[in-house]
């Protein structure tokens, strides 16, 4: 693609989004402690044996089944990735979709249900590039749909969550969140045209938003 330019928002008409219901929790949790952590009962070994501190720490998990949307959001926002990267999050969207890879402790005891909203972003040029500045564009969001997905408690990628590919004059935005659906005004009012169609993170406002990515259109020269 050519020189990057800033997209200026024109208003977006967002249709009502359909939220699919989640499923029951995947794994039963053991007895909860006052701290909110629970431990799985060891499948083998003596009942009187004392686990090492390392084993006990790795067996701890957080019971999320009783959390409301606000509590679950804060828990997932604070849950760190097991990659060791500074401040990296356990639940993210990337080119393959929703990825869940938390650190060994504080992981959920059962699968957590999140929602994934996807949008087309239609691009239209409003001003050609000149010696005084880059070309300007307007864009419009059109909802593709909303689906519910279960992530965890084990590491892995969630099937059927990869971001839709863009096309000429059309990109896509994907948002994973908990709670109320994303209002149109929460979607970004400016996006950049970049020289790659690989998804990159963007900021989407909203208390329940966990991660969002943008796939730029394949070409905007003729838009």
């Amino acid at each position: 693609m050519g020189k990057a330019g800033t997209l200026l928002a024109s208003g977006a008409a967002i249709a009502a989004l359909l939220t699919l219901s989640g499923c029951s929790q995947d794994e039963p949790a053991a007895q909860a402690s006052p701290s909110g952590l629970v431990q799985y009962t060891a499948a083998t070994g003596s009942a009187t044996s004392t686990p090492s501190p390392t084993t006990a720490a790795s067996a701890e998990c957080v019971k999320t089944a009783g959390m409301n949307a606000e509590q679950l959001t804060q828990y997932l926002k604070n849950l760190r990735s097991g990659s060791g990267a500074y401040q990296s999050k356990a639940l993210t969207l990337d080119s393959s979709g929703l990825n869940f890879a938390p650190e060994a402790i504080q992981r959920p005891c059962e699968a957590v249900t999140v929602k994934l909203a996807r949008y087309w972003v239609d691009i239209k040029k409003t001003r050609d590039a000149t010696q005084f500045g880059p070309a300007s564009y307007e864009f419009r969001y059109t909802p593709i749909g909303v689906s519910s997905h279960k992530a965890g408690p084990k590491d892995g990628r969630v099937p059927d969550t990869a971001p839709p590919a863009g096309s000429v004059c059309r990109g896509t935005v994907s948002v994973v969140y908990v709670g109320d659906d994303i209002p149109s005004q929460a979607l970004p009012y400016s996006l950049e045209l970049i020289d790659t169609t690989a998804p990159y993170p963007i900021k989407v406002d909203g208390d329940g938003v966990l991660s969002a990515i943008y796939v730029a259109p394949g070409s905007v020269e003729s838009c």
Side-chain angles (χ1 to χ4, degrees), residues 160-180:
D160 303 320
T161 58
S167 60
V168 175
C169 300
R170 172 174 274 189
T172 67
V173 163
S174 300
V175 187
V176 61
Y177 64 101
V178 174
D180 294 337

Side-chain angles (χ1 to χ4, degrees), residues 27-223:
E27 295 186 19
Q31 183 177 0
S33 69
S35 66
L37 295 176
V38 301
Q39 276 188 302
Y40 291 117
T41 303
T44 59
S46 170
T48 59
S49 62
T50 302
S52 67
T54 301
T55 302
S58 63
E60 290 179 342
C61 63
V62 176
K63 185 169 182 174
T64 61
M67 290 184 179
N68 59 30
E70 181 179 358
Q71 292 169 331
L72 183 59
T73 298
Q74 290 306 310
Y75 164 69
L76 291 174
K77 283 184 175 181
N78 293 326
L79 186 61
R80 297 304 170 199
S81 169
S83 68
Y86 177 69
Q87 292 294 300
S88 59
K89 295 183 179 180
L91 188 68
T92 56
L93 278 170
D94 56 28
S95 60
S96 297
L98 191 60
N99 183 36
F100 187 69
E103 59 187 354
I105 60 174
Q106 301 292 328
R107 66 171 58 238
C109 300
E110 55 276 315
V112 295
T113 299
V114 296
K115 290 187 278 189
L116 176 64
R118 299 170 178 172
Y119 306 87
W120 296 119
V121 186
D122 292 302
I123 313 296
K124 182 179 180 180
K125 183 183 290 185
T126 58
R127 186 184 65 196
D128 290 328
T130 68
Q131 60 179 332
F132 302 107
S136 294
Y137 299 85
E138 66 180 13
F139 64 94
R140 179 176 183 146
Y141 288 102
T142 302
I144 299 173
V146 177
S147 53
S148 292
H149 300 274
K150 298 175 80 68
K154 297 180 180 179
D155 295 1
R157 296 191 179 276
V158 180
D160 303 320
T161 58
S167 60
V168 175
C169 300
R170 172 174 274 189
T172 67
V173 163
S174 300
V175 187
V176 61
Y177 64 101
V178 174
D180 294 337
D181 289 333
I182 307 297
S184 60
Q185 60 268 27
L187 297 170
Y189 281 86
S190 63
L191 294 168
E192 291 186 354
L193 297 179
I194 54 177
D195 293 329
T196 177
T197 56
Y200 75 93
I202 58 172
K203 177 177 173 56
V204 172
D205 294 328
D207 294 337
V209 174
L210 302 172
S211 183
I213 55 175
Y214 164 60
V215 177
S219 174
V220 294
E221 296 301 324
S222 60
C223 298

